[in-house]
Amino acid sequence: MAAILPPGPLMVDVQGCTLTAHEIERLQHPLVGGVILFSRNFESREQLTALCQAIHAARTEPLLITVDHEGGRVQRFKSDGFTTLPSMRRLGEIWMDDSLAAMRLATETGYVLGAELRACGVDLSFTPVLDLDYGGSQVIGDRAFHREPQIVAMLARALIQGLMLSGMAACGKHFPGHGYVQADSHHEIPVDDRPLEDIMREDAAPYGWLGDMVLPSVMPAHVIYSQVDPNPAGFSSFWINTILREHLNYNGVVFSDDLTMEGATVAGDILARAKAALTAGCDMVLVCNRPDLADDLLGRLEHTPSESSIARIRALMPRVVSPDWATLQSQARYQYARDLQSEIISG
């Protein structure tokens, strides 16, 4: 019997709708701990379910399967029965008319989001976005709930409750906040020149209010907060250890954002980026859309995760068995929550 390997610190992706022999070999590398899926990995629910089963079967202790599936314009799976989910800004708009209704609807959205993914074998969606909607960020835009941190925190809490009802954990992003800067960290290196006090009072506030009991994982931004630290937040021990771990008393998982993004290039090559993120306090780093860089990193990275890091990552795995798709369709709770989604979108 193969040895049971603990989850490693690297999250990789796969290129198609089935696994190649080389991808299976890559997933069995002891430094790999998870897989992130994209739209290219989806042809049908049946295919997606088989792909997730194959990824889980690649290791004795199954890898964590993740996806960016937030609702609105960031929803990787949209056909073959998957419900079209509203943008988070839409929930914020409803809040302005009826806050209690908005929270109820956010819970139902979170439940549908999580239940459908889990029925196909996906373990975690990188959601909710906790960035504030300042109105100038093209990459955030309607992915954010609202401009006010209190409203963001309340709607995020409600959405996370829905995820929990489906058996899925949550990931808040992008700490301490990507909403103020206009530059897109996928293609540029954003710089936020505000003082620490302003950022903590506004953008970082939802993280302190929610905490790790509600928000079991966090993803820092590839943004440089120039008055605070010369490094992007995901490469900054000050942001991750001093502010997040110590000041906010946060003990959940910290994921890096994708290390192939332009905002990560300030740290150097892919090995330097991974080392910078892990040294700063990230538990797991993401390498997306560049299998060559993933293989390069696996061939050169030397890193032994701490027992606390391993335990945090393991805690993100679902703890209850999810109903399959057919069983899910027969559940009145699911049908009720699903039918609400088109009403939310249409207003």
mmCIF file of all heavy atoms in Angstrom, residues 77-116:
data_model
loop_
_atom_site.group_PDB
_atom_site.id
_atom_site.type_symbol
_atom_site.label_atom_id
_atom_site.label_comp_id
_atom_site.label_asym_id
_atom_site.label_seq_id
_atom_site.Cartn_x
_atom_site.Cartn_y
_atom_site.Cartn_z
ATOM 1 N N PHE A 77 -18.385 26.948 -13.917
ATOM 2 C CA PHE A 77 -19.264 25.934 -14.493
ATOM 3 C C PHE A 77 -20.659 26.531 -14.634
ATOM 4 O O PHE A 77 -21.270 26.926 -13.635
ATOM 5 C CB PHE A 77 -19.297 24.683 -13.617
ATOM 6 C CG PHE A 77 -17.933 24.229 -13.159
ATOM 7 C CD1 PHE A 77 -17.726 23.825 -11.853
ATOM 8 C CD2 PHE A 77 -16.856 24.215 -14.034
ATOM 9 C CE1 PHE A 77 -16.470 23.423 -11.416
ATOM 10 C CE2 PHE A 77 -15.589 23.813 -13.612
ATOM 11 C CZ PHE A 77 -15.401 23.411 -12.298
ATOM 12 N N LYS A 78 -21.181 26.626 -15.854
ATOM 13 C CA LYS A 78 -22.412 27.375 -16.095
ATOM 14 C C LYS A 78 -23.475 26.590 -16.858
ATOM 15 O O LYS A 78 -24.579 27.107 -17.054
ATOM 16 C CB LYS A 78 -22.086 28.656 -16.878
ATOM 17 C CG LYS A 78 -21.136 29.604 -16.180
ATOM 18 C CD LYS A 78 -20.877 30.835 -17.032
ATOM 19 C CE LYS A 78 -19.944 31.801 -16.342
ATOM 20 N NZ LYS A 78 -19.671 33.008 -17.168
ATOM 21 N N SER A 79 -23.177 25.381 -17.276
ATOM 22 C CA SER A 79 -24.127 24.642 -18.108
ATOM 23 C C SER A 79 -24.402 23.265 -17.525
ATOM 24 O O SER A 79 -23.902 22.915 -16.456
ATOM 25 C CB SER A 79 -23.576 24.517 -19.539
ATOM 26 O OG SER A 79 -22.329 23.835 -19.530
ATOM 27 N N ASP A 80 -25.206 22.486 -18.233
ATOM 28 C CA ASP A 80 -25.547 21.121 -17.838
ATOM 29 C C ASP A 80 -26.116 21.068 -16.420
ATOM 30 O O ASP A 80 -25.745 20.209 -15.610
ATOM 31 C CB ASP A 80 -24.342 20.195 -17.961
ATOM 32 C CG ASP A 80 -24.749 18.714 -17.993
ATOM 33 O OD1 ASP A 80 -25.946 18.432 -18.234
ATOM 34 O OD2 ASP A 80 -23.879 17.855 -17.761
ATOM 35 N N GLY A 81 -27.003 22.012 -16.125
ATOM 36 C CA GLY A 81 -27.712 21.978 -14.851
ATOM 37 C C GLY A 81 -27.184 22.908 -13.794
ATOM 38 O O GLY A 81 -27.883 23.164 -12.798
ATOM 39 N N PHE A 82 -25.958 23.431 -13.946
ATOM 40 C CA PHE A 82 -25.448 24.364 -12.946
ATOM 41 C C PHE A 82 -26.269 25.650 -12.957
ATOM 42 O O PHE A 82 -26.565 26.209 -14.012
ATOM 43 C CB PHE A 82 -23.974 24.689 -13.197
ATOM 44 C CG PHE A 82 -23.020 23.754 -12.520
ATOM 45 C CD1 PHE A 82 -22.554 22.627 -13.184
ATOM 46 C CD2 PHE A 82 -22.620 23.984 -11.216
ATOM 47 C CE1 PHE A 82 -21.678 21.751 -12.558
ATOM 48 C CE2 PHE A 82 -21.744 23.114 -10.577
ATOM 49 C CZ PHE A 82 -21.275 21.991 -11.247
ATOM 50 N N THR A 83 -26.635 26.102 -11.777
ATOM 51 C CA THR A 83 -27.458 27.297 -11.623
ATOM 52 C C THR A 83 -26.633 28.554 -11.897
ATOM 53 O O THR A 83 -25.505 28.673 -11.429
ATOM 54 C CB THR A 83 -28.022 27.363 -10.190
ATOM 55 O OG1 THR A 83 -28.747 26.165 -9.928
ATOM 56 C CG2 THR A 83 -28.917 28.568 -10.003
ATOM 57 N N THR A 84 -27.214 29.494 -12.647
ATOM 58 C CA THR A 84 -26.580 30.794 -12.825
ATOM 59 C C THR A 84 -26.743 31.592 -11.540
ATOM 60 O O THR A 84 -27.856 31.836 -11.081
ATOM 61 C CB THR A 84 -27.225 31.556 -13.995
ATOM 62 O OG1 THR A 84 -27.058 30.800 -15.199
ATOM 63 C CG2 THR A 84 -26.575 32.930 -14.163
ATOM 64 N N LEU A 85 -25.616 31.992 -10.954
ATOM 65 C CA LEU A 85 -25.608 32.658 -9.657
ATOM 66 C C LEU A 85 -25.435 34.166 -9.829
ATOM 67 O O LEU A 85 -24.750 34.616 -10.746
ATOM 68 C CB LEU A 85 -24.473 32.106 -8.788
ATOM 69 C CG LEU A 85 -24.523 30.597 -8.519
ATOM 70 C CD1 LEU A 85 -23.226 30.128 -7.879
ATOM 71 C CD2 LEU A 85 -25.717 30.243 -7.647
ATOM 72 N N PRO A 86 -26.023 34.953 -8.942
ATOM 73 C CA PRO A 86 -25.910 36.410 -9.058
ATOM 74 C C PRO A 86 -24.528 36.901 -8.666
ATOM 75 O O PRO A 86 -23.774 36.218 -7.960
ATOM 76 C CB PRO A 86 -26.963 36.914 -8.066
ATOM 77 C CG PRO A 86 -27.025 35.845 -7.023
ATOM 78 C CD PRO A 86 -26.838 34.551 -7.772
ATOM 79 N N SER A 87 -24.201 38.105 -9.107
ATOM 80 C CA SER A 87 -22.989 38.755 -8.612
ATOM 81 C C SER A 87 -23.203 39.142 -7.156
ATOM 82 O O SER A 87 -24.339 39.312 -6.687
ATOM 83 C CB SER A 87 -22.672 40.002 -9.433
ATOM 84 O OG SER A 87 -23.647 41.014 -9.183
ATOM 85 N N MET A 88 -22.119 39.306 -6.436
ATOM 86 C CA MET A 88 -22.235 39.705 -5.038
ATOM 87 C C MET A 88 -22.736 41.145 -4.910
ATOM 88 O O MET A 88 -23.424 41.482 -3.940
ATOM 89 C CB MET A 88 -20.895 39.534 -4.333
ATOM 90 C CG MET A 88 -20.400 38.083 -4.294
ATOM 91 S SD MET A 88 -21.551 36.896 -3.503
ATOM 92 C CE MET A 88 -22.387 36.169 -4.933
ATOM 93 N N ARG A 89 -22.428 41.986 -5.893
ATOM 94 C CA ARG A 89 -22.949 43.350 -5.846
ATOM 95 C C ARG A 89 -24.474 43.344 -5.860
ATOM 96 O O ARG A 89 -25.095 44.193 -5.223
ATOM 97 C CB ARG A 89 -22.425 44.165 -7.025
ATOM 98 C CG ARG A 89 -22.985 45.588 -7.057
ATOM 99 C CD ARG A 89 -22.558 46.345 -8.291
ATOM 100 N NE ARG A 89 -21.163 46.771 -8.197
ATOM 101 C CZ ARG A 89 -20.468 47.260 -9.232
ATOM 102 N NH1 ARG A 89 -21.040 47.325 -10.430
ATOM 103 N NH2 ARG A 89 -19.215 47.681 -9.069
ATOM 104 N N ARG A 90 -25.078 42.412 -6.565
ATOM 105 C CA ARG A 90 -26.546 42.334 -6.604
ATOM 106 C C ARG A 90 -27.105 42.111 -5.201
ATOM 107 O O ARG A 90 -28.134 42.706 -4.830
ATOM 108 C CB ARG A 90 -26.993 41.220 -7.543
ATOM 109 C CG ARG A 90 -28.496 41.049 -7.630
ATOM 110 C CD ARG A 90 -29.153 42.225 -8.341
ATOM 111 N NE ARG A 90 -30.599 42.200 -8.154
ATOM 112 C CZ ARG A 90 -31.302 43.167 -7.586
ATOM 113 N NH1 ARG A 90 -30.699 44.258 -7.127
ATOM 114 N NH2 ARG A 90 -32.608 43.063 -7.471
ATOM 115 N N LEU A 91 -26.457 41.288 -4.408
ATOM 116 C CA LEU A 91 -26.905 41.077 -3.038
ATOM 117 C C LEU A 91 -26.749 42.350 -2.218
ATOM 118 O O LEU A 91 -27.582 42.663 -1.366
ATOM 119 C CB LEU A 91 -26.126 39.922 -2.409
ATOM 120 C CG LEU A 91 -26.392 38.549 -3.034
ATOM 121 C CD1 LEU A 91 -25.382 37.525 -2.538
ATOM 122 C CD2 LEU A 91 -27.811 38.075 -2.740
ATOM 123 N N GLY A 92 -25.686 43.111 -2.489
ATOM 124 C CA GLY A 92 -25.511 44.387 -1.814
ATOM 125 C C GLY A 92 -26.582 45.391 -2.187
ATOM 126 O O GLY A 92 -27.026 46.186 -1.337
ATOM 127 N N GLU A 93 -27.032 45.359 -3.434
ATOM 128 C CA GLU A 93 -28.115 46.250 -3.864
ATOM 129 C C GLU A 93 -29.419 45.897 -3.151
ATOM 130 O O GLU A 93 -30.173 46.783 -2.734
ATOM 131 C CB GLU A 93 -28.294 46.156 -5.376
ATOM 132 C CG GLU A 93 -27.134 46.735 -6.162
ATOM 133 C CD GLU A 93 -27.195 46.405 -7.647
ATOM 134 O OE1 GLU A 93 -28.003 45.529 -8.034
ATOM 135 O OE2 GLU A 93 -26.422 47.002 -8.410
ATOM 136 N N ILE A 94 -29.674 44.610 -3.001
ATOM 137 C CA ILE A 94 -30.888 44.185 -2.294
ATOM 138 C C ILE A 94 -30.823 44.622 -0.835
ATOM 139 O O ILE A 94 -31.834 45.023 -0.243
ATOM 140 C CB ILE A 94 -31.061 42.655 -2.416
ATOM 141 C CG1 ILE A 94 -31.296 42.274 -3.884
ATOM 142 C CG2 ILE A 94 -32.208 42.158 -1.538
ATOM 143 C CD1 ILE A 94 -31.267 40.779 -4.140
ATOM 144 N N TRP A 95 -29.620 44.560 -0.247
ATOM 145 C CA TRP A 95 -29.446 45.004 1.139
ATOM 146 C C TRP A 95 -29.971 46.427 1.339
ATOM 147 O O TRP A 95 -30.573 46.740 2.370
ATOM 148 C CB TRP A 95 -27.969 44.921 1.524
ATOM 149 C CG TRP A 95 -27.645 45.507 2.869
ATOM 150 C CD1 TRP A 95 -27.569 46.839 3.194
ATOM 151 C CD2 TRP A 95 -27.382 44.788 4.087
ATOM 152 N NE1 TRP A 95 -27.252 46.992 4.525
ATOM 153 C CE2 TRP A 95 -27.135 45.754 5.093
ATOM 154 C CE3 TRP A 95 -27.303 43.440 4.406
ATOM 155 C CZ2 TRP A 95 -26.833 45.397 6.399
ATOM 156 C CZ3 TRP A 95 -26.997 43.092 5.703
ATOM 157 C CH2 TRP A 95 -26.769 44.054 6.692
ATOM 158 N N MET A 96 -29.743 47.291 0.393
ATOM 159 C CA MET A 96 -30.117 48.692 0.541
ATOM 160 C C MET A 96 -31.627 48.874 0.642
ATOM 161 O O MET A 96 -32.105 49.866 1.186
ATOM 162 C CB MET A 96 -29.559 49.511 -0.623
ATOM 163 C CG MET A 96 -28.046 49.465 -0.736
ATOM 164 S SD MET A 96 -27.184 49.881 0.810
ATOM 165 C CE MET A 96 -27.606 51.631 0.959
ATOM 166 N N ASP A 97 -32.387 47.909 0.137
ATOM 167 C CA ASP A 97 -33.849 47.950 0.253
ATOM 168 C C ASP A 97 -34.353 47.136 1.436
ATOM 169 O O ASP A 97 -35.315 47.520 2.107
ATOM 170 C CB ASP A 97 -34.501 47.423 -1.034
ATOM 171 C CG ASP A 97 -34.297 48.357 -2.210
ATOM 172 O OD1 ASP A 97 -34.262 49.583 -1.995
ATOM 173 O OD2 ASP A 97 -34.144 47.851 -3.332
ATOM 174 N N ASP A 98 -33.682 46.005 1.707
ATOM 175 C CA ASP A 98 -34.166 45.098 2.758
ATOM 176 C C ASP A 98 -32.984 44.243 3.218
ATOM 177 O O ASP A 98 -32.653 43.244 2.579
ATOM 178 C CB ASP A 98 -35.294 44.222 2.221
ATOM 179 C CG ASP A 98 -35.973 43.392 3.290
ATOM 180 O OD1 ASP A 98 -35.347 43.134 4.334
ATOM 181 O OD2 ASP A 98 -37.141 42.988 3.078
ATOM 182 N N SER A 99 -32.352 44.639 4.312
ATOM 183 C CA SER A 99 -31.143 43.957 4.759
ATOM 184 C C SER A 99 -31.403 42.511 5.162
ATOM 185 O O SER A 99 -30.595 41.621 4.877
ATOM 186 C CB SER A 99 -30.503 44.721 5.919
ATOM 187 O OG SER A 99 -31.411 44.841 7.013
ATOM 188 N N LEU A 100 -32.525 42.257 5.823
ATOM 189 C CA LEU A 100 -32.812 40.884 6.246
ATOM 190 C C LEU A 100 -33.071 39.978 5.052
ATOM 191 O O LEU A 100 -32.618 38.823 5.025
ATOM 192 C CB LEU A 100 -34.020 40.877 7.191
ATOM 193 C CG LEU A 100 -33.797 41.544 8.552
ATOM 194 C CD1 LEU A 100 -35.075 41.491 9.381
ATOM 195 C CD2 LEU A 100 -32.649 40.882 9.304
ATOM 196 N N ALA A 101 -33.776 40.495 4.051
ATOM 197 C CA ALA A 101 -34.009 39.709 2.840
ATOM 198 C C ALA A 101 -32.691 39.418 2.136
ATOM 199 O O ALA A 101 -32.466 38.302 1.642
ATOM 200 C CB ALA A 101 -34.957 40.449 1.905
ATOM 201 N N ALA A 102 -31.798 40.405 2.093
ATOM 202 C CA ALA A 102 -30.508 40.210 1.434
ATOM 203 C C ALA A 102 -29.696 39.124 2.120
ATOM 204 O O ALA A 102 -29.050 38.300 1.453
ATOM 205 C CB ALA A 102 -29.732 41.527 1.421
ATOM 206 N N MET A 103 -29.726 39.092 3.442
ATOM 207 C CA MET A 103 -28.978 38.068 4.162
ATOM 208 C C MET A 103 -29.570 36.681 3.917
ATOM 209 O O MET A 103 -28.841 35.698 3.733
ATOM 210 C CB MET A 103 -28.946 38.389 5.652
ATOM 211 C CG MET A 103 -28.097 39.605 5.984
ATOM 212 S SD MET A 103 -28.015 39.946 7.752
ATOM 213 C CE MET A 103 -27.158 38.494 8.346
ATOM 214 N N ARG A 104 -30.894 36.591 3.890
ATOM 215 C CA ARG A 104 -31.528 35.298 3.602
ATOM 216 C C ARG A 104 -31.158 34.829 2.200
ATOM 217 O O ARG A 104 -30.822 33.654 1.988
ATOM 218 C CB ARG A 104 -33.048 35.421 3.740
ATOM 219 C CG ARG A 104 -33.809 34.144 3.385
ATOM 220 C CD ARG A 104 -35.302 34.313 3.597
ATOM 221 N NE ARG A 104 -35.871 35.304 2.705
ATOM 222 C CZ ARG A 104 -36.282 35.039 1.455
ATOM 223 N NH1 ARG A 104 -36.143 33.814 0.960
ATOM 224 N NH2 ARG A 104 -36.812 35.981 0.714
ATOM 225 N N LEU A 105 -31.199 35.744 1.237
ATOM 226 C CA LEU A 105 -30.875 35.376 -0.135
ATOM 227 C C LEU A 105 -29.405 35.012 -0.283
ATOM 228 O O LEU A 105 -29.057 34.108 -1.045
ATOM 229 C CB LEU A 105 -31.237 36.529 -1.078
ATOM 230 C CG LEU A 105 -32.738 36.851 -1.184
ATOM 231 C CD1 LEU A 105 -32.956 38.115 -2.001
ATOM 232 C CD2 LEU A 105 -33.502 35.682 -1.783
ATOM 233 N N ALA A 106 -28.537 35.699 0.447
ATOM 234 C CA ALA A 106 -27.111 35.361 0.406
ATOM 235 C C ALA A 106 -26.877 33.943 0.924
ATOM 236 O O ALA A 106 -26.060 33.192 0.370
ATOM 237 C CB ALA A 106 -26.309 36.366 1.221
ATOM 238 N N THR A 107 -27.588 33.570 1.973
ATOM 239 C CA THR A 107 -27.465 32.209 2.495
ATOM 240 C C THR A 107 -27.895 31.180 1.455
ATOM 241 O O THR A 107 -27.219 30.162 1.249
ATOM 242 C CB THR A 107 -28.300 32.048 3.776
ATOM 243 O OG1 THR A 107 -27.800 32.937 4.775
ATOM 244 C CG2 THR A 107 -28.236 30.627 4.305
ATOM 245 N N GLU A 108 -29.006 31.442 0.786
ATOM 246 C CA GLU A 108 -29.486 30.497 -0.228
ATOM 247 C C GLU A 108 -28.532 30.421 -1.414
ATOM 248 O O GLU A 108 -28.318 29.351 -1.988
ATOM 249 C CB GLU A 108 -30.888 30.894 -0.695
ATOM 250 C CG GLU A 108 -31.926 30.960 0.418
ATOM 251 C CD GLU A 108 -32.027 29.682 1.234
ATOM 252 O OE1 GLU A 108 -31.766 28.590 0.697
ATOM 253 O OE2 GLU A 108 -32.357 29.762 2.440
ATOM 254 N N THR A 109 -27.933 31.549 -1.782
ATOM 255 C CA THR A 109 -26.943 31.539 -2.863
ATOM 256 C C THR A 109 -25.732 30.706 -2.474
ATOM 257 O O THR A 109 -25.239 29.895 -3.262
ATOM 258 C CB THR A 109 -26.518 32.979 -3.210
ATOM 259 O OG1 THR A 109 -27.653 33.711 -3.683
ATOM 260 C CG2 THR A 109 -25.430 32.995 -4.276
ATOM 261 N N GLY A 110 -25.245 30.896 -1.246
ATOM 262 C CA GLY A 110 -24.111 30.108 -0.779
ATOM 263 C C GLY A 110 -24.414 28.626 -0.751
ATOM 264 O O GLY A 110 -23.568 27.790 -1.102
ATOM 265 N N TYR A 111 -25.651 28.297 -0.367
ATOM 266 C CA TYR A 111 -26.037 26.887 -0.305
ATOM 267 C C TYR A 111 -26.049 26.260 -1.697
ATOM 268 O O TYR A 111 -25.503 25.167 -1.911
ATOM 269 C CB TYR A 111 -27.405 26.742 0.360
ATOM 270 C CG TYR A 111 -27.951 25.342 0.284
ATOM 271 C CD1 TYR A 111 -27.377 24.316 1.019
ATOM 272 C CD2 TYR A 111 -29.014 25.032 -0.565
ATOM 273 C CE1 TYR A 111 -27.848 23.019 0.937
ATOM 274 C CE2 TYR A 111 -29.498 23.739 -0.658
ATOM 275 C CZ TYR A 111 -28.910 22.736 0.085
ATOM 276 O OH TYR A 111 -29.374 21.453 -0.017
ATOM 277 N N VAL A 112 -26.656 26.930 -2.674
ATOM 278 C CA VAL A 112 -26.699 26.390 -4.034
ATOM 279 C C VAL A 112 -25.289 26.254 -4.599
ATOM 280 O O VAL A 112 -24.927 25.235 -5.197
ATOM 281 C CB VAL A 112 -27.563 27.285 -4.950
ATOM 282 C CG1 VAL A 112 -27.426 26.870 -6.413
ATOM 283 C CG2 VAL A 112 -29.011 27.230 -4.525
ATOM 284 N N LEU A 113 -24.484 27.292 -4.405
ATOM 285 C CA LEU A 113 -23.111 27.291 -4.894
ATOM 286 C C LEU A 113 -22.358 26.073 -4.366
ATOM 287 O O LEU A 113 -21.757 25.313 -5.135
ATOM 288 C CB LEU A 113 -22.438 28.591 -4.453
ATOM 289 C CG LEU A 113 -21.057 28.972 -4.977
ATOM 290 C CD1 LEU A 113 -20.816 30.471 -4.717
ATOM 291 C CD2 LEU A 113 -19.918 28.169 -4.363
ATOM 292 N N GLY A 114 -22.406 25.885 -3.059
ATOM 293 C CA GLY A 114 -21.669 24.790 -2.452
ATOM 294 C C GLY A 114 -22.245 23.424 -2.771
ATOM 295 O O GLY A 114 -21.508 22.474 -3.050
ATOM 296 N N ALA A 115 -23.573 23.307 -2.745
ATOM 297 C CA ALA A 115 -24.214 22.006 -2.955
ATOM 298 C C ALA A 115 -23.951 21.462 -4.353
ATOM 299 O O ALA A 115 -23.680 20.264 -4.527
ATOM 300 C CB ALA A 115 -25.712 22.121 -2.697
ATOM 301 N N GLU A 116 -24.005 22.335 -5.360
ATOM 302 C CA GLU A 116 -23.782 21.864 -6.728
ATOM 303 C C GLU A 116 -22.337 21.450 -6.951
ATOM 304 O O GLU A 116 -22.070 20.419 -7.591
ATOM 305 C CB GLU A 116 -24.208 22.943 -7.721
ATOM 306 C CG GLU A 116 -25.715 23.160 -7.742
ATOM 307 C CD GLU A 116 -26.191 24.166 -8.767
ATOM 308 O OE1 GLU A 116 -25.350 24.909 -9.329
ATOM 309 O OE2 GLU A 116 -27.412 24.224 -9.014
#
